[in-house]
Amino acid sequence: MLTGKAKIAGVIGCPVGHSLSPKLHNYWLQEHGIDGAYIPLEVKPEDIGEVIAALPKMGVQGVNITVPHKEAVMAFMDEIAPEARRIGAVNTVVVHDGRLIGMNTDGEGFVQNLTANKPAHWDIAAGKAVVLGAGGAAKAVIAALQACKVEVVLTNRTRAKAEDTAAHLGGGALTVIDWDKREAALREANLLVNATSLGMSGQPALELALDALPVTALVTDIVYKPLETSLLAAARTRGNPVVDGLGMLLYQAVPGFEHWFGVRPVVTDKLRDYILNLSFR
Ligand code: NAP
């Protein structure tokens, strides 16, 4: 039950009704018996600065930021963590001593998901990663792979955007190739990541023949609706290890919850089943 001392956090987006974050954070709040709440806040782009500036005055602990505000909120932060600055987007805001601290936890969520669900013998550092896509999520994925010292081969429908991403994320081994060369690039992959929106419900399918991909390469899709994308199904059929994208969503939420509510929550099979039962079946 909430008291007058409840700690409040939430998610700001537009629209925000589809967000799974309230279900996820409120599950953890209940699990840990914390006097707190996590609420959805639909905020229009023209109001985002005013709303963000008001957070410390309202006494909230912080917020998650989702589409379309992840880049825009950076201008209103008092401090931006290095990974968020590198990616150029903030997905988690912590209010600390009246100051707004912007972080990006998507890359950490991506790596934690692989670490938790990969086969024991698969090593992220054993070879190259082929990343499809150069949007906001792809940047977080690439920055996280670079932090793991993984060589990245990046391809995107709009090559200029991939070049921009490569220039922005310089500092690790990163090669851009044409979108129509993506299948040939699979030959050298130890990891294949779909970080485009292709394959998501309501979006076109990802067209990608996997013939050149070594059967030992791990295949992951950051799209999690549907949970088993056609890419993951095709990879699984030919014997590649696969990791779905739901875990990335769950793990990216851990640091925010810990900052706001003072407990480091754990991603469990029970939590995953709870979210799946609520949202996917
Ligand atoms: P975004 O910034 O809009 O980027 C979309 C990407 O998809 C771009 O690379 C875009 O290529 C590509 N794309 C879109 N339509 C395409 C098409 N018809 N053919 C080829 N490429 C196409 O989106 P985002 O924020 O990065 O999100 C991407 C996906 O990741 C979404 O499905 C989102 O739900 C998911 N996601 C999952 C998590 C998680 O926790 N699992 C976290 C964040 C995002 P162009 O540059 O050529 O347009």
Side-chain angles (χ1 to χ4, degrees), residues 133-137 156-158 161 196-198 200 222 224 245 248-249:
N156 190 49
R157 173 182 61 175
T158 311
K161 213 161 130 189
T196 72
S197 45
L198 293 173
M200 189 175 149
I222 72 165
Y224 56 83
M248 176 176 170
L249 180 83

Side-chain angles (χ1 to χ4, degrees), residues 221-245:
D221 202 325
I222 72 165
V223 169
Y224 56 83
K225 266 192 180 178
L227 191 61
E228 178 91 340
T229 60
S230 54
L231 170 66
L232 295 185
R236 198 188 293 280
T237 300
R238 68 195 292 279
N240 288 88
V242 303
V243 175
D244 69 53

